[in-house]
Amino acid sequence: MNWLQIAQERKEELLSELQQLIQIESVLDENNATPDMPFGQGPLDALHFMLNKGESAGMRVKNIDHMAGHIEMGEGQELLGILCHVDVVPVGDGWTYPPFEGRIVDGKLFGRGAIDDKGPTIAAWLAMKMVKDSGIKLDKRVRMIIGTDEESGFRCVNRYFEKEEMPTIGFAPDADFPLINAEKGIAHLIFSQKNKAAADETLLSFTAGKRINMVPDSAEAKLVSVSEDGATNFQRFLQENETEGSLTKAQDHYIIAIKGKSAHAMEPEKGVNAAVLLAQFLTTELTGNGLTFVQFIADVFGKDHFGTALTLNYRDEMSGETTLNPGIIKFDANGGTIEVSMRYAVTYSFEEKITAAQQVLAQADFTLDVASDSAPHYIPEEDELVQTLVAVYQKYTNDFSQVLSTGGGTYARVLNKGVAFGMLFPGEADVAHQKDEFVDVENLITAAAIYAEAIVKLASK
Ligand SMILES: [Zn+2]
């Protein structure tokens, strides 16, 4: 079968369906959630859209508690899963084109969700239809599983797999080509200061960050007083660190604010953590528990992203470094806390390493607790699933890049045996979650061809 040619012939259908899906504003709306609409109207509409398409194409569809659903074709004992999501992150500012339109300019289709994950979803959906229409006989059932809460905690697929069958093998078109076979563990750590703030504390408050999976791009502290050279030192500090900030006097206190640069917690080195900068500056301004707090941040997070000071550092060949992102930092009259998103290597001894860090902290003014932990996910490169998918990818691209690892989490990790497979091609800019998110139209067609051949290869033996 010449899948590329068939996909090319069905380009209008592909683009029109993607535009329709992008036009559904499927952002989580917790305020209007009901049992019949657990993530709000948009995510539910997007799920219905896909299930209606499946039904019209003569496939079996099922809605699981309005959180997730599936479209299934073929017969057989075993099941191939294709895991996609149709929810999107909020729009943000600064778009050149309307984020919920799907406008095509110079071979690019713009819109929120274009690459994450509506474009890949529609490419995989076209692939299913192409395989069905080809009449090729499959020995496995093929099921597209559609989630509506991927961006905020996986409640959709968690519920889905409480009730539905686990695929024998599967892939998630929600990341990069050639393929991601290693996903780091993701833990939420909380460091809490043991001593509460004293009554005569210079530091009144310290706040930075709203979500642990982002590098905070601003931080602010309120101080009772600043030193004589405080203002001059602060200006020099800003210059040395090539950033902006302000020191202002309010009625009975001073406010020191500093800017950093946002990035995803899985790549903290790509950002500049404003909280860490502010803490570093304040080590020369404070005393008491406030000083202990900022000194801890400077010592543990100011020197590297690997947690070396607490012996949490560890890297391995298949997944790289373990990284720590202090994402929510707070200090007030009740004391100080630092919430961290940790992305740890596949072969990390999690319990042992946490216990060791707790022992390092025994003499310090901080405790360490694990608020949540999602284990790493790894399928060996030699595995037939990986080999088959990589071979299909190479056939259509002539690209022999290595398979990849990620500090992010995809739906692959909820599968017993699954990997992330496309559809961002090597060298392409990753515009997921950013303004002017787009997908390249030619790449959509290539991806649809790759997915079609992958379905046939994986489901017919
Ligand atoms: Zn995604």
Side-chain angles (χ1 to χ4, degrees):
M1 282 284 163
N2 189 338
W3 296 118
L4 208 48
Q5 190 191 330
I6 300 171
Q8 196 66 253
E9 285 162 11
R10 297 178 75 160
K11 180 175 164 180
E12 291 314 312
E13 171 189 350
L14 169 80
L15 296 179
S16 143
E17 289 192 341
L18 177 52
Q19 285 170 328
Q20 290 171 56
L21 184 55
I22 282 178
Q23 283 158 14
I24 302 170
E25 300 187 23
S26 49
V27 179
L28 172 67
D29 180 9
E30 209 92 63
N31 292 332
N32 291 302
T34 65
D36 288 341
M37 208 167 70
F39 310 124
Q41 188 71 54
L44 183 67
D45 287 350
L47 176 64
H48 283 158
F49 174 84
M50 290 306 300
L51 297 183
N52 287 338
K53 291 282 169 201
E55 211 160 21
S56 318
M59 301 188 198
R60 300 178 290 273
V61 302
K62 191 167 178 185
N63 176 336
I64 310 301
D65 298 343
H66 314 292
M67 290 189 174
H70 69 235
I71 305 173
E72 189 186 84
M73 66 176 187
E75 306 297 331
Q77 190 65 36
E78 294 188 22
L79 181 63
L80 166 64
I82 303 171
L83 275 67
C84 304
H85 70 92
V86 291
D87 58 313
V88 294
V89 296
V91 167
D93 305 319
W95 284 70
T96 312
Y97 307 107
F100 296 113
E101 184 186 300
R103 192 177 300 183
I104 300 168
V105 182
D106 293 337
K108 293 172 176 157
L109 191 152
F110 288 86
R112 176 55 86 224
I115 192 70
D116 180 20
D117 185 39
K118 290 177 172 178
T121 299
I122 293 295
W125 167 234
L126 177 63
M128 275 180 77
K129 288 184 289 187
M130 295 193 313
V131 172
K132 182 170 188 285
D133 296 346
S134 75
I136 293 174
K137 191 183 166 325
L138 304 176
D139 306 309
K140 292 188 179 80
R141 287 167 293 135
V142 179
R143 181 182 284 188
M144 174 177 276
I145 298 168
I146 301 144
T148 62
D149 180 45
E150 196 271 349
E151 299 291 359
S152 354
F154 283 29
R155 285 170 290 183
C156 49
V157 278
N158 289 336
R159 175 69 62 86
Y160 183 88
F161 286 115
E162 280 168 19
K163 300 194 162 181
E164 292 293 318
E165 174 184 356
M166 174 60 65
T168 324
I169 49 173
F171 64 86
D174 188 21
D176 297 9
F177 282 129
L179 180 147
I180 294 174
N181 70 324
E183 294 188 12
K184 291 181 191 177
I186 303 177
H188 177 178
L189 309 182
I190 303 177
F191 295 91
S192 310
Q193 196 165 11
K194 292 175 200 164
N195 288 316
K196 301 288 171 229
D200 59 349
E201 208 70 61
T202 307
L203 181 63
L204 294 171
S205 71
F206 188 117
T207 46
K210 293 189 183 71
R211 292 158 52 190
I212 59 162
N213 62 2
M214 297 300 291
V215 175
D217 60 2
S218 67
E220 186 185 286
K222 292 189 177 133
L223 279 70
V224 176
S225 58
V226 292
S227 66
E228 212 179 308
D229 301 327
T232 323
N233 291 344
F234 185 59
Q235 287 311 319
R236 192 186 320 129
F237 181 85
L238 292 177
Q239 274 174 12
E240 280 168 9
N241 289 282
E242 294 173 357
T243 188
E244 292 165 25
S246 59
L247 194 164
T248 48
K249 184 163 175 12
Q251 203 147 44
D252 56 352
H253 61 267
Y254 292 83
I255 302 170
I256 303 182
I258 204 158
K259 290 225 175 305
K261 182 172 166 248
S262 185
H264 194 282
M266 68 184 181
E267 299 168 320
E269 71 283 357
K270 290 197 175 163
V272 176
N273 194 311
V276 172
L277 279 182
L278 182 55
Q280 285 169 328
F281 171 70
L282 290 177
T283 54
T284 59
E285 282 294 321
L286 299 176
T287 55
N289 291 320
L291 174 60
T292 311
F293 182 72
V294 296
Q295 192 67 57
F296 180 81
I297 296 171
D299 289 346
V300 174
F301 306 107
K303 290 170 184 144
D304 64 38
H305 300 293
F306 315 130
T308 310
L310 298 176
T311 70
L312 287 167
N313 56 306
Y314 173 85
R315 75 180 304 281
D316 64 25
E317 204 45 42
M318 64 266 246
S319 54
E321 293 285 358
T322 297
T323 61
L324 270 65
N325 176 60
I328 304 175
I329 299 92
K330 270 197 205 112
F331 180 96
D332 57 25
N334 298 315
T337 54
I338 302 148
E339 297 190 50
V340 171
S341 179
M342 176 190 196
R343 311 288 165 131
Y344 59 93
V346 164
T347 57
Y348 200 73
S349 306
F350 186 74
E351 305 287 333
E352 249 171 65
K353 295 288 267 181
I354 294 293
T355 306
Q358 285 166 333
Q359 278 159 6
V360 174
L361 286 173
Q363 305 305 320
D365 187 24
F366 286 84
T367 57
L368 164 57
D369 295 291
V370 178
S372 73
D373 174 32
S374 168
H377 180 73
Y378 177 67
I379 307 291
E381 208 177 323
E382 309 76 59
D383 192 282
E384 202 187 336
L385 173 64
V386 176
Q387 292 291 323
T388 305
L389 290 176
V390 168
V392 171
Y393 168 78
Q394 289 171 347
K395 177 178 162 185
Y396 283 87
T397 58
N398 259 314
D399 171 46
F400 293 83
S401 305
Q402 286 293 305
V403 296
L404 304 164
S405 68
T406 178
T410 77
Y411 277 164
R413 64 203 294 128
V414 300
L415 291 170
N416 286 350
K417 188 166 180 177
V419 293
F421 185 51
M423 66 158 271
L424 202 66
F425 288 85
E428 270 197 289
D430 186 1
V431 289
H433 299 200
Q434 298 180 25
K435 64 176 183 183
D436 287 338
E437 179 180 348
F438 70 87
V439 65
D440 183 282
V441 172
E442 283 309 306
N443 287 348
L444 270 174
I445 290 162
T446 309
I450 290 172
Y451 292 142
E453 179 140 346
I455 290 170
V456 173
K457 285 268 154 55
L458 293 175
S460 58
K461 61 183 150 187

